[in-house]
Amino acid sequence: LSKRPSLLKILRLVIALLVPVLILLILSFLYGYRRSAEAVSNRIDSMFAYQMEQVDASFDQINGYLTDTLLTNRYVEEIRLAEPEDIGYYRSARNLCSEVATLQSFINSGYTFYFYTPRLNLSFRSSGASEGYMTDYKVVDAVTADIDDGRYNYNDTRWQYYDVDGIGYMVQV
């Protein structure tokens, strides 16, 4: 008579074979998951770096435009030299606003350009496409108040973070 293997021995053999296979499958899954998470993280970092480069390039472009406008534009010079009793600077301001609005469509319509001369009590803006009318005015009013209170250094050309109603804006004075 031959002895047949008992069901318990067969079960033990199957478990002994399946446990290492299951452990290998779980380890393989965890390794793949980790590699996938690292790849996604690297892609996100790469996309973020690219977007930051785009923002930096945009700021550089706007800085160049603003510097060029403030140093070489004849309307800015007319406004700078105007006396408060001479109302001719309003024409220069209108022409400058028109130039800014035209160039804004070519450079980046997401920016709002605001020109303010406290000495003449003259201000105008060319609104960007990224913010609503009221939000735009809140930012302009807050920046104007800070300029009037002397909280800005006019010789500093860095962009500054500005918070209005819990939303961050980049401002250059």
Side-chain angles (χ1 to χ4, degrees):
L1 293 172
S2 79
K3 276 181 130 180
R4 292 190 317 173
S6 72
L7 189 55
L8 187 59
K9 285 183 180 179
I10 293 174
L11 189 57
R12 282 185 189 158
L13 180 64
V14 167
I15 289 174
L17 292 175
L18 283 180
V19 167
V21 170
L22 285 174
I23 290 173
L24 283 174
L25 283 173
I26 291 171
L27 290 176
S28 174
F29 172 77
L30 291 175
Y31 176 77
Y33 177 78
R34 183 174 174 195
R35 292 289 303 232
S36 176
E38 286 174 1
V40 168
S41 176
N42 288 341
R43 273 187 247 129
I44 290 171
D45 290 345
S46 175
M47 288 177 9
F48 183 74
Y50 173 76
Q51 290 176 348
M52 288 304 297
E53 288 173 10
Q54 295 299 314
V55 168
D56 283 343
S58 181
F59 280 161
D60 287 344
Q61 184 181 33
I62 296 301
N63 276 343
Y65 169 72
L66 289 175
T67 301
D68 182 57
T69 299
L70 292 174
L71 294 177
T72 64
N73 188 286
R74 69 182 174 121
Y75 300 124
V76 171
E77 190 63 23
E78 288 172 8
I79 293 169
R80 190 175 291 142
L81 296 175
E83 293 298 323
E85 60 274 354
D86 177 22
I87 61 170
Y89 61 81
Y90 284 112
R91 184 180 61 254
S92 297
R94 188 176 55 247
N95 290 335
L96 179 60
C97 186
S98 177
E99 276 188 16
V100 167
T102 301
L103 288 171
Q104 186 176 15
S105 64
F106 294 115
I107 295 176
N108 188 329
S109 62
Y111 290 93
T112 294
F113 292 98
Y114 174 60
F115 188 89
Y116 178 53
T117 304
R119 180 178 63 84
L120 300 174
N121 195 25
L122 170 70
S123 67
F124 64 87
R125 68 189 178 92
S126 177
S127 295
S130 65
E131 293 299 329
Y133 183 79
M134 290 308 293
T135 302
D136 205 25
Y137 258 106
K138 285 181 183 179
V139 174
V140 166
D141 288 346
V143 171
T144 302
D146 278 357
I147 291 170
D148 290 342
D149 292 343
R151 287 185 275 217
Y152 278 114
N153 179 3
Y154 292 103
N155 296 323
D156 188 0
T157 59
R158 290 178 295 175
W159 289 86
Q160 300 170 23
Y161 177 79
Y162 208 84
D163 187 301
V164 175
D165 290 342
I167 299 173
Y169 297 91
M170 296 304 289
V171 174
Q172 184 182 42
V173 177

